[in-house]
Amino acid sequence: MSNTLGKPPVVRAEMLIRRPVQEVFRAFVDPEVTSKFWFTKGSGKLESGAKVRWDWEMYGVGADIDVLAVEQNSRIVIDWGTRVEWTFVARGESETFVTIVNDGFEGTADELLEQAMDSTQGFTFVLSGLKAYLEHGIQLNLVADKSPDANIIND
């Protein structure tokens, strides 16, 4: 079955985070922080040209990441089979508007729709978890709790 959607979908998730842009940007480039709201382990900080690994240990899965661009406090671009771009816009000294755009999906129309829906949901969870963690110090465990039956780690 061919793609009958025309152009492949582009996913966009956005959120205002009430923290300074430096803090919000660091949350995505430093795996010590990112592991509080998204993946459980990262092999290194995001730097232009780097190759890193992100693991979701609760599901026994990981992703190899090619870091295409990092512009301090402004933009991150990665490739993990699709292209993901984060932009960070400071709104005053204590707020940051984060936009995540994911594109480069391939497959049939049904596969494209499924990938786009999964990406939209996933990045919405990521931004919601980030907001709770940075603004309130709460780890919501959204990613871990999304699919509890797939969790391979026994408590």
Side-chain angles (χ1 to χ4, degrees):
M1 181 167 144
S2 64
N3 170 12
T4 58
L5 293 176
K7 290 180 15 179
V10 175
V11 167
R12 176 183 300 268
E14 299 176 308
M15 182 79 63
L16 178 70
I17 309 295
R18 289 184 175 83
R19 301 301 299 160
V21 69
Q22 299 87 343
E23 189 176 339
V24 177
F25 182 84
R26 178 177 176 255
F28 283 103
V29 298
D30 185 347
E32 291 293 319
V33 182
T34 319
S35 64
K36 307 292 187 206
F37 64 91
W38 190 8
F39 50 76
T40 55
K41 184 171 64 174
S43 66
K45 291 185 178 181
L46 300 186
E47 298 173 348
S48 292
K51 294 186 181 302
V52 298
R53 174 132 179 116
W54 292 342
D55 289 295
W56 291 263
E57 295 165 304
M58 70 291 237
Y59 299 130
V61 299
D64 294 315
I65 310 301
D66 289 319
V67 184
L68 304 177
V70 175
E71 298 169 18
Q72 188 68 32
N73 300 328
S74 175
R75 182 172 167 258
I76 301 166
V77 182
I78 66 162
D79 184 316
W80 65 350
T82 60
R83 182 180 179 278
V84 181
E85 180 175 1
W86 288 258
T87 55
F88 303 83
V89 177
R91 297 176 62 132
E93 293 183 18
S94 62
E95 294 181 345
T96 306
F97 193 72
V98 181
T99 301
I100 303 173
V101 175
N102 188 192
D103 61 15
F105 303 105
E106 296 180 353
T108 66
D110 287 345
E111 291 166 340
L112 291 171
L113 287 172
E114 183 177 345
Q115 291 170 50
M117 289 187 316
D118 286 348
S119 177
T120 301
Q121 181 182 61
F123 284 121
T124 300
F125 283 165
V126 167
L127 288 173
S128 299
L130 170 70
K131 183 175 185 70
Y133 181 69
L134 290 184
E135 290 184 14
H136 306 285
I138 300 169
Q139 290 181 251
L140 294 176
N141 299 315
L142 295 170
V143 175
D145 292 346
K146 157 64 170 91
S147 298
D149 294 337
N151 193 323
I152 64 168
I153 298 175
N154 295 322
D155 294 7

